[in-house]
Amino acid sequence: MSDAKFFQRGKIHELRLELNSDKKDKNHTRKKATLKKIVANMTMGNDMSSLYPDVIACMAIPVLEVKKMVYLFLINYAKGKPEMALEAIPTFRRDVEDPNPMIRALAIRTMGYIHVDKVTTCLIQPLRHCMRDQDPYVRKTAAVCVAKLFLQDRHLVENAGFIELLRDMLVDSNPSVVANAVAALTEISERSDHIQLKLNMAIASKLVTALNECSEWGQTYILESLMFVVPQEPGDAEMLAERIAPRLQHANSAVVLTAVKVIVYLMNYMSKDEDIANMCKKLSPPLVTLLSSGPEVQYVGLRNILLVVQKHPDILKNDIKIFFCKYNDPIYVKMAKLEIMFRLASEHNVEQVLSELKEYATEIDVDFVRKAVRSIGRLAVKIESTAQKCVEALLELIQTKVNYVVQESIVVIKDIFRKYPNQYESIIGLLCENLDNLDEPEAKAAMIWIIGQYADRIENSDELLEDFLFTFLEETVEVQLALLTATVKLFIKRPTAGQELVPRVLKWATEEVDNPDLRDRGYIYWRLLSTDVAAAKAVVLSEKPHISTETDNMDPVLLEELLMHIASLSAIYHKAPTTFIPHCKPRFLIPSPTLRRQNYGPGRLIHQDSYEHLYSNNGEDEFDATAKQPHHQRLSYHEQSFEQVAEASIGNQQYYEQKINAENPYRTDTTAASANKGGGVDLMSFDL
């Protein structure tokens, strides 16, 4: 029978009469129906708190369904009416000793939800008893209750010995209990200032054994906890990854992505390249399978895949066709696929990729078309052997005369000119035919750069620039800067053609604009031209640095951080969690004799300087500058012993623990003093 009939506004006195009725009520059917009406009214936002004496009287009924509704009523109103919860304490004490394990678990769970000091005090002893209960359902409920209690009073949990009890539950015979204990310890470790969870290989092996008998969410919790394992011996990471690999075939996408995260993490501790290559082969099929799910799951998978392929591009190098866009894909999925297609493009598959991009450039969705056109230009910059074909494709698109297509094409052609000077200048004439179609600042700036860069090859370059100068004062700063530089280039290359334009532009830039960058550049050019034209030529026409698509790559330190947060919001936002979650602990690779040398560029090591920009609060550093900050010389891994690497990482960890402590408003003076004792951070580490 449907419960929809209960969702009707009930009168308080009628509900009270029904609860206190003296009529025979076999199996408490009438009271159950009345309590359902009360809960339904609570759900609709109606105030039922005046019924609390009558509802609490029902706690004595030894029926699980009745107790569930009474406890739900208590949880809902206990915060606003703490006296209501105090009256229920005797019943709680009876229920935690009830022969029925469901009632014992329900009582301990409800007490964990009620944030009233006296109830919390009464919870300590029953909770400790329930964590050793004979029934696994009670034990797993008690494990989660510890995590809830930690949110209310973290010092109480630490001082009452609940952390040690949770640690003992990791070797419980029931997999569900193990999963909940792991979830609680992980949550506490992430939120605590001085508790750091560490798992050794023996415990990790037992946790992996429990995976087969856990629910899908229990598997996710256990896999997440394996991120706290730091392999110390050769072969540890390989063995653990092999045992986790079967989870990649799970039907639940959360389990799959969490398994991928753990394996990618463990690959940092594998010594042999062939072992990493084998793991990459195993990661490919599950990642591809994610793309057969619904569009939302596809998008989550694509954002995570984009991170993985930047670190291990070989994982999906043979599966690029999977990322070709379908006609019915949502736009957000198409955009994510385009980025991965570009990342996976190589000399072996570039023909296929270019053909796809040309098709996409004729679609009707404007944003998608822009992204496709820009990807063609980036492809030319990335792979030199296909640059000619990419330029030809862009010229075909320009001839379509579609406004936004033409403008995007001009923007990327500017980059191609910079990458391959003196190779494709023959197309400038065609570009100049489309000047009237330019109305976007980026496209205008790109075209102006081309005119200035090749002012000596374009016969009417002075006339073209003069046309742009008519609206100089109304243009955006980006266009104004481009016009200023292009005009100076024209004057240097063709003095007679630019001698009338330069004074006018310099006067505007220095006297009639408010932007300091534009004004400063104008003064610099003016002084250079008025004192030493040769020096001006050397500066303005100096050789440009080569461009490459490597500038599109994510910062290696940030990438390493995000790879440790796969299957979370960080992996979707592509932002470190510390940027949007207050007081979140940073994650980084812990030193170990088996840790591979990380290639972060010349002499780059994960330490304080590398992390500083990731963990600032919107650019405002709230860290006390007087705190002692570790200083480590930037050496490459090839120049460092393991002890030096470990010292650098430990110093970095202490630095950020101090920073987190300084930013944490919940820390007491006692805690802060303990944390800073001896000039370092006293971590309460549990090496299990």
Side-chain angles (χ1 to χ4, degrees), residues 611-641:
Y611 277 102
E612 185 64 32
H613 70 285
L614 296 180
Y615 305 125
S616 61
N617 185 13
N618 295 326
E620 298 178 4
D621 193 356
E622 299 177 1
F623 181 49
D624 184 3
T626 61
K628 183 178 179 181
Q629 302 178 13
H631 175 72
H632 304 286
Q633 184 179 3
R634 284 180 178 243
L635 299 175
S636 68
Y637 271 94
H638 296 279
E639 298 170 327
Q640 292 182 322
S641 65

PDB file of all heavy atoms in Angstrom, residues 611-641:
ATOM      1  N   TYR A 611      54.692  23.589  -4.025  1.00  0.00           N
ATOM      2  CA  TYR A 611      53.311  23.502  -3.579  1.00  0.00           C
ATOM      3  C   TYR A 611      52.711  24.847  -3.210  1.00  0.00           C
ATOM      4  O   TYR A 611      51.512  24.985  -3.086  1.00  0.00           O
ATOM      5  CB  TYR A 611      53.213  22.585  -2.344  1.00  0.00           C
ATOM      6  CG  TYR A 611      53.140  21.133  -2.703  1.00  0.00           C
ATOM      7  CD1 TYR A 611      54.245  20.316  -2.593  1.00  0.00           C
ATOM      8  CD2 TYR A 611      51.954  20.589  -3.161  1.00  0.00           C
ATOM      9  CE1 TYR A 611      54.178  18.983  -2.933  1.00  0.00           C
ATOM     10  CE2 TYR A 611      51.866  19.260  -3.506  1.00  0.00           C
ATOM     11  CZ  TYR A 611      52.981  18.461  -3.384  1.00  0.00           C
ATOM     12  OH  TYR A 611      52.903  17.144  -3.726  1.00  0.00           O
ATOM     13  N   GLU A 612      53.553  25.864  -3.028  1.00  0.00           N
ATOM     14  CA  GLU A 612      53.075  27.117  -2.453  1.00  0.00           C
ATOM     15  C   GLU A 612      51.900  27.699  -3.221  1.00  0.00           C
ATOM     16  O   GLU A 612      50.905  28.108  -2.650  1.00  0.00           O
ATOM     17  CB  GLU A 612      54.222  28.124  -2.396  1.00  0.00           C
ATOM     18  CG  GLU A 612      53.843  29.419  -1.709  1.00  0.00           C
ATOM     19  CD  GLU A 612      53.509  29.198  -0.258  1.00  0.00           C
ATOM     20  OE1 GLU A 612      54.085  28.299   0.369  1.00  0.00           O
ATOM     21  OE2 GLU A 612      52.633  29.917   0.236  1.00  0.00           O
ATOM     22  N   HIS A 613      51.990  27.702  -4.574  1.00  0.00           N
ATOM     23  CA  HIS A 613      50.920  28.323  -5.355  1.00  0.00           C
ATOM     24  C   HIS A 613      49.672  27.477  -5.364  1.00  0.00           C
ATOM     25  O   HIS A 613      48.599  27.960  -5.691  1.00  0.00           O
ATOM     26  CB  HIS A 613      51.400  28.557  -6.794  1.00  0.00           C
ATOM     27  CG  HIS A 613      51.582  27.298  -7.581  1.00  0.00           C
ATOM     28  ND1 HIS A 613      52.651  26.462  -7.384  1.00  0.00           N
ATOM     29  CD2 HIS A 613      50.823  26.744  -8.557  1.00  0.00           C
ATOM     30  CE1 HIS A 613      52.557  25.441  -8.213  1.00  0.00           C
ATOM     31  NE2 HIS A 613      51.459  25.577  -8.921  1.00  0.00           N
ATOM     32  N   LEU A 614      49.786  26.181  -4.992  1.00  0.00           N
ATOM     33  CA  LEU A 614      48.606  25.330  -5.021  1.00  0.00           C
ATOM     34  C   LEU A 614      47.762  25.475  -3.770  1.00  0.00           C
ATOM     35  O   LEU A 614      46.561  25.274  -3.790  1.00  0.00           O
ATOM     36  CB  LEU A 614      49.032  23.854  -5.144  1.00  0.00           C
ATOM     37  CG  LEU A 614      49.762  23.470  -6.433  1.00  0.00           C
ATOM     38  CD1 LEU A 614      50.113  21.992  -6.385  1.00  0.00           C
ATOM     39  CD2 LEU A 614      48.897  23.763  -7.637  1.00  0.00           C
ATOM     40  N   TYR A 615      48.400  25.838  -2.647  1.00  0.00           N
ATOM     41  CA  TYR A 615      47.685  25.797  -1.389  1.00  0.00           C
ATOM     42  C   TYR A 615      47.428  27.171  -0.802  1.00  0.00           C
ATOM     43  O   TYR A 615      47.181  27.319   0.378  1.00  0.00           O
ATOM     44  CB  TYR A 615      48.472  24.929  -0.389  1.00  0.00           C
ATOM     45  CG  TYR A 615      48.732  23.567  -0.942  1.00  0.00           C
ATOM     46  CD1 TYR A 615      50.010  23.052  -1.020  1.00  0.00           C
ATOM     47  CD2 TYR A 615      47.684  22.812  -1.453  1.00  0.00           C
ATOM     48  CE1 TYR A 615      50.244  21.804  -1.561  1.00  0.00           C
ATOM     49  CE2 TYR A 615      47.904  21.570  -2.000  1.00  0.00           C
ATOM     50  CZ  TYR A 615      49.181  21.074  -2.045  1.00  0.00           C
ATOM     51  OH  TYR A 615      49.402  19.835  -2.590  1.00  0.00           O
ATOM     52  N   SER A 616      47.534  28.191  -1.627  1.00  0.00           N
ATOM     53  CA  SER A 616      47.184  29.521  -1.149  1.00  0.00           C
ATOM     54  C   SER A 616      45.675  29.688  -1.220  1.00  0.00           C
ATOM     55  O   SER A 616      45.000  29.023  -1.982  1.00  0.00           O
ATOM     56  CB  SER A 616      47.869  30.585  -2.005  1.00  0.00           C
ATOM     57  OG  SER A 616      47.457  30.474  -3.336  1.00  0.00           O
ATOM     58  N   ASN A 617      45.163  30.601  -0.413  1.00  0.00           N
ATOM     59  CA  ASN A 617      43.720  30.820  -0.325  1.00  0.00           C
ATOM     60  C   ASN A 617      43.345  31.995  -1.207  1.00  0.00           C
ATOM     61  O   ASN A 617      43.393  33.139  -0.785  1.00  0.00           O
ATOM     62  CB  ASN A 617      43.335  31.062   1.137  1.00  0.00           C
ATOM     63  CG  ASN A 617      41.841  31.181   1.296  1.00  0.00           C
ATOM     64  OD1 ASN A 617      41.091  30.849   0.378  1.00  0.00           O
ATOM     65  ND2 ASN A 617      41.417  31.644   2.443  1.00  0.00           N
ATOM     66  N   ASN A 618      42.974  31.686  -2.479  1.00  0.00           N
ATOM     67  CA  ASN A 618      42.616  32.726  -3.435  1.00  0.00           C
ATOM     68  C   ASN A 618      43.706  33.784  -3.566  1.00  0.00           C
ATOM     69  O   ASN A 618      43.438  34.981  -3.692  1.00  0.00           O
ATOM     70  CB  ASN A 618      41.305  33.408  -3.030  1.00  0.00           C
ATOM     71  CG  ASN A 618      40.144  32.449  -3.081  1.00  0.00           C
ATOM     72  OD1 ASN A 618      40.123  31.557  -3.929  1.00  0.00           O
ATOM     73  ND2 ASN A 618      39.205  32.616  -2.188  1.00  0.00           N
ATOM     74  N   GLY A 619      44.945  33.324  -3.522  1.00  0.00           N
ATOM     75  CA  GLY A 619      46.053  34.240  -3.694  1.00  0.00           C
ATOM     76  C   GLY A 619      46.421  34.995  -2.432  1.00  0.00           C
ATOM     77  O   GLY A 619      47.369  35.756  -2.406  1.00  0.00           O
ATOM     78  N   GLU A 620      45.667  34.793  -1.332  1.00  0.00           N
ATOM     79  CA  GLU A 620      45.967  35.489  -0.092  1.00  0.00           C
ATOM     80  C   GLU A 620      46.571  34.499   0.887  1.00  0.00           C
ATOM     81  O   GLU A 620      45.913  33.599   1.371  1.00  0.00           O
ATOM     82  CB  GLU A 620      44.678  36.085   0.502  1.00  0.00           C
ATOM     83  CG  GLU A 620      44.032  37.119  -0.420  1.00  0.00           C
ATOM     84  CD  GLU A 620      42.756  37.637   0.188  1.00  0.00           C
ATOM     85  OE1 GLU A 620      42.443  37.241   1.327  1.00  0.00           O
ATOM     86  OE2 GLU A 620      42.083  38.431  -0.468  1.00  0.00           O
ATOM     87  N   ASP A 621      47.866  34.650   1.146  1.00  0.00           N
ATOM     88  CA  ASP A 621      48.570  33.719   2.009  1.00  0.00           C
ATOM     89  C   ASP A 621      48.326  34.101   3.459  1.00  0.00           C
ATOM     90  O   ASP A 621      48.788  35.142   3.917  1.00  0.00           O
ATOM     91  CB  ASP A 621      50.063  33.740   1.674  1.00  0.00           C
ATOM     92  CG  ASP A 621      50.779  32.558   2.322  1.00  0.00           C
ATOM     93  OD1 ASP A 621      50.128  31.801   3.071  1.00  0.00           O
ATOM     94  OD2 ASP A 621      51.977  32.417   2.080  1.00  0.00           O
ATOM     95  N   GLU A 622      47.581  33.257   4.181  1.00  0.00           N
ATOM     96  CA  GLU A 622      47.277  33.547   5.570  1.00  0.00           C
ATOM     97  C   GLU A 622      48.301  32.918   6.507  1.00  0.00           C
ATOM     98  O   GLU A 622      48.183  33.014   7.713  1.00  0.00           O
ATOM     99  CB  GLU A 622      45.880  33.024   5.911  1.00  0.00           C
ATOM    100  CG  GLU A 622      44.785  33.686   5.073  1.00  0.00           C
ATOM    101  CD  GLU A 622      43.435  33.086   5.380  1.00  0.00           C
ATOM    102  OE1 GLU A 622      43.368  32.191   6.242  1.00  0.00           O
ATOM    103  OE2 GLU A 622      42.455  33.513   4.778  1.00  0.00           O
ATOM    104  N   PHE A 623      49.302  32.238   5.964  1.00  0.00           N
ATOM    105  CA  PHE A 623      50.287  31.564   6.796  1.00  0.00           C
ATOM    106  C   PHE A 623      51.175  32.578   7.500  1.00  0.00           C
ATOM    107  O   PHE A 623      51.610  33.564   6.909  1.00  0.00           O
ATOM    108  CB  PHE A 623      51.135  30.645   5.908  1.00  0.00           C
ATOM    109  CG  PHE A 623      52.187  29.881   6.664  1.00  0.00           C
ATOM    110  CD1 PHE A 623      51.858  29.196   7.816  1.00  0.00           C
ATOM    111  CD2 PHE A 623      53.485  29.852   6.202  1.00  0.00           C
ATOM    112  CE1 PHE A 623      52.810  28.485   8.493  1.00  0.00           C
ATOM    113  CE2 PHE A 623      54.451  29.151   6.876  1.00  0.00           C
ATOM    114  CZ  PHE A 623      54.112  28.455   8.027  1.00  0.00           C
ATOM    115  N   ASP A 624      51.465  32.331   8.767  1.00  0.00           N
ATOM    116  CA  ASP A 624      52.316  33.213   9.553  1.00  0.00           C
ATOM    117  C   ASP A 624      53.733  33.181   8.990  1.00  0.00           C
ATOM    118  O   ASP A 624      54.394  32.157   9.000  1.00  0.00           O
ATOM    119  CB  ASP A 624      52.305  32.752  11.020  1.00  0.00           C
ATOM    120  CG  ASP A 624      53.096  33.697  11.898  1.00  0.00           C
ATOM    121  OD1 ASP A 624      53.594  34.728  11.374  1.00  0.00           O
ATOM    122  OD2 ASP A 624      53.214  33.408  13.095  1.00  0.00           O
ATOM    123  N   ALA A 625      54.208  34.295   8.504  1.00  0.00           N
ATOM    124  CA  ALA A 625      55.523  34.339   7.868  1.00  0.00           C
ATOM    125  C   ALA A 625      56.639  34.102   8.862  1.00  0.00           C
ATOM    126  O   ALA A 625      57.770  33.801   8.461  1.00  0.00           O
ATOM    127  CB  ALA A 625      55.725  35.691   7.185  1.00  0.00           C
ATOM    128  N   THR A 626      56.356  34.214  10.155  1.00  0.00           N
ATOM    129  CA  THR A 626      57.412  34.000  11.144  1.00  0.00           C
ATOM    130  C   THR A 626      57.646  32.527  11.420  1.00  0.00           C
ATOM    131  O   THR A 626      58.626  32.166  12.059  1.00  0.00           O
ATOM    132  CB  THR A 626      57.040  34.689  12.464  1.00  0.00           C
ATOM    133  OG1 THR A 626      55.823  34.106  12.964  1.00  0.00           O
ATOM    134  CG2 THR A 626      56.835  36.178  12.251  1.00  0.00           C
ATOM    135  N   ALA A 627      56.748  31.668  10.942  1.00  0.00           N
ATOM    136  CA  ALA A 627      56.925  30.234  11.167  1.00  0.00           C
ATOM    137  C   ALA A 627      58.146  29.738  10.415  1.00  0.00           C
ATOM    138  O   ALA A 627      58.464  30.211   9.329  1.00  0.00           O
ATOM    139  CB  ALA A 627      55.680  29.467  10.710  1.00  0.00           C
ATOM    140  N   LYS A 628      58.795  28.773  10.984  1.00  0.00           N
ATOM    141  CA  LYS A 628      60.017  28.254  10.375  1.00  0.00           C
ATOM    142  C   LYS A 628      59.666  27.454   9.135  1.00  0.00           C
ATOM    143  O   LYS A 628      58.885  26.509   9.188  1.00  0.00           O
ATOM    144  CB  LYS A 628      60.743  27.364  11.378  1.00  0.00           C
ATOM    145  CG  LYS A 628      62.073  26.839  10.852  1.00  0.00           C
ATOM    146  CD  LYS A 628      62.779  25.996  11.898  1.00  0.00           C
ATOM    147  CE  LYS A 628      64.087  25.459  11.370  1.00  0.00           C
ATOM    148  NZ  LYS A 628      64.774  24.610  12.369  1.00  0.00           N
ATOM    149  N   GLN A 629      60.221  27.839   7.989  1.00  0.00           N
ATOM    150  CA  GLN A 629      59.937  27.163   6.737  1.00  0.00           C
ATOM    151  C   GLN A 629      61.180  26.406   6.286  1.00  0.00           C
ATOM    152  O   GLN A 629      62.270  26.950   6.269  1.00  0.00           O
ATOM    153  CB  GLN A 629      59.541  28.163   5.648  1.00  0.00           C
ATOM    154  CG  GLN A 629      58.337  28.994   6.039  1.00  0.00           C
ATOM    155  CD  GLN A 629      58.004  29.998   4.984  1.00  0.00           C
ATOM    156  OE1 GLN A 629      58.510  29.927   3.885  1.00  0.00           O
ATOM    157  NE2 GLN A 629      57.149  30.942   5.319  1.00  0.00           N
ATOM    158  N   PRO A 630      61.031  25.134   5.915  1.00  0.00           N
ATOM    159  CA  PRO A 630      62.192  24.358   5.508  1.00  0.00           C
ATOM    160  C   PRO A 630      62.757  24.869   4.203  1.00  0.00           C
ATOM    161  O   PRO A 630      62.021  25.231   3.292  1.00  0.00           O
ATOM    162  CB  PRO A 630      61.621  22.945   5.347  1.00  0.00           C
ATOM    163  CG  PRO A 630      60.182  23.150   5.061  1.00  0.00           C
ATOM    164  CD  PRO A 630      59.786  24.385   5.819  1.00  0.00           C
ATOM    165  N   HIS A 631      64.061  24.908   4.116  1.00  0.00           N
ATOM    166  CA  HIS A 631      64.721  25.333   2.883  1.00  0.00           C
ATOM    167  C   HIS A 631      65.530  24.163   2.350  1.00  0.00           C
ATOM    168  O   HIS A 631      66.320  23.563   3.075  1.00  0.00           O
ATOM    169  CB  HIS A 631      65.645  26.516   3.151  1.00  0.00           C
ATOM    170  CG  HIS A 631      66.445  26.921   1.939  1.00  0.00           C
ATOM    171  ND1 HIS A 631      65.854  27.557   0.865  1.00  0.00           N
ATOM    172  CD2 HIS A 631      67.750  26.745   1.631  1.00  0.00           C
ATOM    173  CE1 HIS A 631      66.789  27.781  -0.052  1.00  0.00           C
ATOM    174  NE2 HIS A 631      67.941  27.289   0.390  1.00  0.00           N
ATOM    175  N   HIS A 632      65.318  23.842   1.103  1.00  0.00           N
ATOM    176  CA  HIS A 632      66.029  22.737   0.482  1.00  0.00           C
ATOM    177  C   HIS A 632      66.539  23.172  -0.874  1.00  0.00           C
ATOM    178  O   HIS A 632      65.803  23.771  -1.658  1.00  0.00           O
ATOM    179  CB  HIS A 632      65.117  21.512   0.319  1.00  0.00           C
ATOM    180  CG  HIS A 632      64.520  21.068   1.612  1.00  0.00           C
ATOM    181  ND1 HIS A 632      65.239  20.411   2.568  1.00  0.00           N
ATOM    182  CD2 HIS A 632      63.266  21.230   2.124  1.00  0.00           C
ATOM    183  CE1 HIS A 632      64.460  20.163   3.601  1.00  0.00           C
ATOM    184  NE2 HIS A 632      63.273  20.657   3.361  1.00  0.00           N
ATOM    185  N   GLN A 633      67.783  22.836  -1.140  1.00  0.00           N
ATOM    186  CA  GLN A 633      68.365  23.195  -2.430  1.00  0.00           C
ATOM    187  C   GLN A 633      67.684  22.397  -3.528  1.00  0.00           C
ATOM    188  O   GLN A 633      67.377  21.223  -3.366  1.00  0.00           O
ATOM    189  CB  GLN A 633      69.867  22.880  -2.420  1.00  0.00           C
ATOM    190  CG  GLN A 633      70.590  23.312  -3.692  1.00  0.00           C
ATOM    191  CD  GLN A 633      72.067  22.993  -3.612  1.00  0.00           C
ATOM    192  OE1 GLN A 633      72.509  22.412  -2.640  1.00  0.00           O
ATOM    193  NE2 GLN A 633      72.797  23.373  -4.623  1.00  0.00           N
ATOM    194  N   ARG A 634      67.415  23.062  -4.654  1.00  0.00           N
ATOM    195  CA  ARG A 634      66.758  22.380  -5.772  1.00  0.00           C
ATOM    196  C   ARG A 634      67.769  21.489  -6.488  1.00  0.00           C
ATOM    197  O   ARG A 634      68.611  21.969  -7.225  1.00  0.00           O
ATOM    198  CB  ARG A 634      66.174  23.388  -6.758  1.00  0.00           C
ATOM    199  CG  ARG A 634      64.894  24.034  -6.247  1.00  0.00           C
ATOM    200  CD  ARG A 634      64.369  25.005  -7.265  1.00  0.00           C
ATOM    201  NE  ARG A 634      63.133  25.583  -6.792  1.00  0.00           N
ATOM    202  CZ  ARG A 634      61.975  25.430  -7.406  1.00  0.00           C
ATOM    203  NH1 ARG A 634      61.890  24.729  -8.481  1.00  0.00           N
ATOM    204  NH2 ARG A 634      60.892  25.998  -6.919  1.00  0.00           N
ATOM    205  N   LEU A 635      67.678  20.212  -6.260  1.00  0.00           N
ATOM    206  CA  LEU A 635      68.527  19.242  -6.946  1.00  0.00           C
ATOM    207  C   LEU A 635      67.646  18.269  -7.688  1.00  0.00           C
ATOM    208  O   LEU A 635      66.526  17.983  -7.282  1.00  0.00           O
ATOM    209  CB  LEU A 635      69.382  18.471  -5.931  1.00  0.00           C
ATOM    210  CG  LEU A 635      70.363  19.294  -5.073  1.00  0.00           C
ATOM    211  CD1 LEU A 635      71.008  18.376  -4.050  1.00  0.00           C
ATOM    212  CD2 LEU A 635      71.423  19.944  -5.932  1.00  0.00           C
ATOM    213  N   SER A 636      68.116  17.744  -8.773  1.00  0.00           N
ATOM    214  CA  SER A 636      67.361  16.729  -9.479  1.00  0.00           C
ATOM    215  C   SER A 636      67.459  15.425  -8.706  1.00  0.00           C
ATOM    216  O   SER A 636      68.345  15.235  -7.874  1.00  0.00           O
ATOM    217  CB  SER A 636      67.912  16.533 -10.895  1.00  0.00           C
ATOM    218  OG  SER A 636      69.196  15.960 -10.832  1.00  0.00           O
ATOM    219  N   TYR A 637      66.547  14.499  -8.996  1.00  0.00           N
ATOM    220  CA  TYR A 637      66.587  13.222  -8.314  1.00  0.00           C
ATOM    221  C   TYR A 637      67.901  12.490  -8.606  1.00  0.00           C
ATOM    222  O   TYR A 637      68.385  11.711  -7.800  1.00  0.00           O
ATOM    223  CB  TYR A 637      65.406  12.347  -8.747  1.00  0.00           C
ATOM    224  CG  TYR A 637      64.194  12.549  -7.903  1.00  0.00           C
ATOM    225  CD1 TYR A 637      63.201  13.448  -8.270  1.00  0.00           C
ATOM    226  CD2 TYR A 637      64.034  11.854  -6.709  1.00  0.00           C
ATOM    227  CE1 TYR A 637      62.090  13.630  -7.477  1.00  0.00           C
ATOM    228  CE2 TYR A 637      62.922  12.030  -5.922  1.00  0.00           C
ATOM    229  CZ  TYR A 637      61.946  12.913  -6.300  1.00  0.00           C
ATOM    230  OH  TYR A 637      60.834  13.104  -5.517  1.00  0.00           O
ATOM    231  N   HIS A 638      68.466  12.723  -9.779  1.00  0.00           N
ATOM    232  CA  HIS A 638      69.721  12.061 -10.120  1.00  0.00           C
ATOM    233  C   HIS A 638      70.845  12.517  -9.207  1.00  0.00           C
ATOM    234  O   HIS A 638      71.837  11.820  -9.046  1.00  0.00           O
ATOM    235  CB  HIS A 638      70.100  12.372 -11.574  1.00  0.00           C
ATOM    236  CG  HIS A 638      69.121  11.818 -12.557  1.00  0.00           C
ATOM    237  ND1 HIS A 638      69.135  10.508 -12.951  1.00  0.00           N
ATOM    238  CD2 HIS A 638      68.076  12.400 -13.212  1.00  0.00           C
ATOM    239  CE1 HIS A 638      68.154  10.289 -13.831  1.00  0.00           C
ATOM    240  NE2 HIS A 638      67.501  11.417 -13.995  1.00  0.00           N
ATOM    241  N   GLU A 639      70.744  13.697  -8.611  1.00  0.00           N
ATOM    242  CA  GLU A 639      71.798  14.258  -7.791  1.00  0.00           C
ATOM    243  C   GLU A 639      71.553  14.029  -6.305  1.00  0.00           C
ATOM    244  O   GLU A 639      72.324  14.464  -5.477  1.00  0.00           O
ATOM    245  CB  GLU A 639      71.911  15.769  -8.054  1.00  0.00           C
ATOM    246  CG  GLU A 639      72.275  16.091  -9.494  1.00  0.00           C
ATOM    247  CD  GLU A 639      72.135  17.572  -9.778  1.00  0.00           C
ATOM    248  OE1 GLU A 639      71.233  18.191  -9.186  1.00  0.00           O
ATOM    249  OE2 GLU A 639      72.913  18.101 -10.565  1.00  0.00           O
ATOM    250  N   GLN A 640      70.453  13.349  -5.970  1.00  0.00           N
ATOM    251  CA  GLN A 640      70.094  13.211  -4.570  1.00  0.00           C
ATOM    252  C   GLN A 640      70.077  11.759  -4.134  1.00  0.00           C
ATOM    253  O   GLN A 640      69.710  10.862  -4.892  1.00  0.00           O
ATOM    254  CB  GLN A 640      68.702  13.798  -4.319  1.00  0.00           C
ATOM    255  CG  GLN A 640      68.662  15.306  -4.483  1.00  0.00           C
ATOM    256  CD  GLN A 640      67.280  15.817  -4.181  1.00  0.00           C
ATOM    257  OE1 GLN A 640      66.311  15.179  -4.515  1.00  0.00           O
ATOM    258  NE2 GLN A 640      67.204  16.952  -3.543  1.00  0.00           N
ATOM    259  N   SER A 641      70.467  11.562  -2.912  1.00  0.00           N
ATOM    260  CA  SER A 641      70.294  10.250  -2.306  1.00  0.00           C
ATOM    261  C   SER A 641      68.865  10.140  -1.798  1.00  0.00           C
ATOM    262  O   SER A 641      68.136  11.123  -1.712  1.00  0.00           O
ATOM    263  CB  SER A 641      71.271  10.090  -1.143  1.00  0.00           C
ATOM    264  OG  SER A 641      70.952  11.019  -0.121  1.00  0.00           O
TER     265      SER A 641
END
